[in-house]
């Protein structure tokens, strides 16, 4: 290893340690007792956001609602109904009725399914295996109700998300950035906020994880820049899922060992 590479590694370790100490100071606890990882799905376990934004764009433009495809990256984590309300409020000045929201979300879900099976995120399997092998409870926390993706989880990531350890659009009232999805995830894990780590890729998801009081890691896996995730309050931001998977064993060690007075 050359001196430059060693210097970068020292900087990264300092960054991780500082992030953990900052989190502990704000949370008012001496140490983290990490027991569970609360893990988002789209953009974390699946490289599916391009297809989601394409499906939303198709549905909205067919409705005659002006929009741009990339805006849907910023709504990532909301429930489908909340995204439809943004479109309706902008176009018509009022939210959608429950029947309209149901019908339009079904149409968006159909268009998404037509785009083919979601691609597993490179590095996600390694990340999940590290969590499992470290004895960390895994809970899925997604705003999605897209059954075509949820149905694939057991096949693509066998044994990772046990029964009763999945929060989806079907069991929350509020989507992200509301903390409810992560609070439900904490309940399912049987853990408090300072016993959990959130793994996210989107600004609203990061806000939800922080609002729930958890140490929140963001991974950039799409066009949303690192700065947006930092502004949303992420404790740490990694540049890709393979980079996060590589760094995870050391991060777990640090999360379990760092104590403040
Ligand atoms: Ca996501």
């Amino acid at each position: 290893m050359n001196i430059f590479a060693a210097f970068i590694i020292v900087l990264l370790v300092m960054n991780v340690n500082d992030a953990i100490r900052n989190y502990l100071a704000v949370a008012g606890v001496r140490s983290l007792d990490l027991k569970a990882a609360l893990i988002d799905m789209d953009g974390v376990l699946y490289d599916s956001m391009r297809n989601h934004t394409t499906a939303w764009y198709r549905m909205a433009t067919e409705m005659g609602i002006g929009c741009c495809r990339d805006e849907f990256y910023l709504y990532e984590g909301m429930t489908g109904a909340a995204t439809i309300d943004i479109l309706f409020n902008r176009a018509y000045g009022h939210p959608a009725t429950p029947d309209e929201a149901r019908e339009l979300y079904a149409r968006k879900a159909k268009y998404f399914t037509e785009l083919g099976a979601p691609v597993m995120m490179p590095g996600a399997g390694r990340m999940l295996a590290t969590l499992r092998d470290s004895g960390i409870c895994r809970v899925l926390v997604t705003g999605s109700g897209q059954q075509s993706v949820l149905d694939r989880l057991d096949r693509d990531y066998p044994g990772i998300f046990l029964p009763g350890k999945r929060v989806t659009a079907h069991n929350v009232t509020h989507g992200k950035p509301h903390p409810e999805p992560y609070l439900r995830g904490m309940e399912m894990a049987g853990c408090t906020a300072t016993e959990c780590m959130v793994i996210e890729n989107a600004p609203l998801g990061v806000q939800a994880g922080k609002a729930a009081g958890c140490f929140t890691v963001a991974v950039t896996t799409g066009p949303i820049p690192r700065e947006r995730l930092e502004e949303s309050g992420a404790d740490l931001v990694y540049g890709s899922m393979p980079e996060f998977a590589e760094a995870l064993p050391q991060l777990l060690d640090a999360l379990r060992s760092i104590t403040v007075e």
Side-chain angles (χ1 to χ4, degrees):
M1 183 187 302
N2 65 32
I3 289 176
F4 181 70
F7 180 65
I8 293 293
I9 287 173
V10 169
L11 281 182
L12 289 173
V13 170
M14 284 171 57
N15 183 30
V16 166
N17 293 353
D18 285 349
I20 295 170
R21 289 197 184 95
N22 287 342
Y23 170 83
L24 294 173
V26 171
V29 293
R30 290 188 67 232
S31 62
L32 270 153
D33 184 12
L34 189 66
K35 292 177 179 161
L38 312 180
I39 306 163
D40 175 48
M41 184 171 73
D42 289 293
V44 169
L45 303 180
Y46 291 99
D47 192 3
S48 46
M49 281 312 299
R50 174 174 288 274
N51 287 359
H52 278 297
T53 57
T54 300
W56 277 117
Y57 180 75
R58 180 177 170 193
M59 186 278 281
T61 49
E62 278 183 3
M63 289 282 298
I65 298 174
C67 60
C68 70
R69 206 194 73 174
D70 280 358
E71 74 174 275
F72 294 104
Y73 284 103
L74 298 176
Y75 308 151
E76 184 181 350
M78 286 183 182
T79 61
T83 300
I84 289 164
D85 276 350
I86 288 178
L87 297 172
F88 264 60
N89 281 323
R90 189 167 69 205
Y92 312 124
H94 60 80
T97 66
D99 282 348
E100 286 169 331
R102 235 185 329 272
E103 192 238 310
L104 293 173
Y105 185 70
R107 198 191 299 183
K108 178 265 167 181
K110 174 171 171 283
Y111 294 159
F112 175 86
T113 304
E114 285 173 7
L115 290 166
V119 176
M120 291 165 71
M121 183 66 74
R126 183 179 172 194
M127 177 267 289
L128 293 171
T130 299
L131 293 171
R132 181 196 59 208
D133 296 346
S134 304
I136 305 283
C137 170
R138 290 85 46 200
V139 180
L140 182 80
V141 182
T142 177
S144 177
Q146 185 84 44
Q147 207 56 41
S148 62
V149 188
L150 293 166
D151 286 345
R152 295 190 64 88
L153 275 172
D154 287 327
R155 193 176 349 163
D156 292 338
Y157 299 106
I160 294 294
F161 299 103
L162 301 179
K165 298 280 189 285
R166 299 173 193 209
V167 179
T168 71
H170 304 302
N171 42 18
V172 292
T173 307
H174 304 286
K176 303 165 187 176
H178 195 282
E180 186 188 354
Y182 283 111
L183 295 173
R184 287 282 296 134
M186 282 159 49
E187 269 175 36
M188 286 184 185
C191 291
T192 63
T194 55
E195 294 171 334
C196 296
M197 169 172 65
V198 164
I199 302 171
E200 263 290 346
N201 74 305
L204 296 182
V206 168
Q207 288 177 37
K210 291 303 295 177
C214 300
F215 187 86
T216 301
V217 171
V219 186
T220 59
T221 62
I224 296 169
R226 160 184 289 268
E227 292 73 24
R228 283 300 293 265
L229 297 164
E230 288 169 349
E231 286 162 14
S232 299
D235 291 289
L236 283 171
V237 182
Y238 291 86
S240 70
M241 188 54 74
E243 181 188 321
F244 176 52
E246 172 77 22
L248 185 57
Q250 270 189 313
L251 174 61
L252 293 177
D253 284 346
L255 285 168
R256 285 168 155 167
S257 63
I258 291 178
T259 301
V260 295
E261 291 311 315

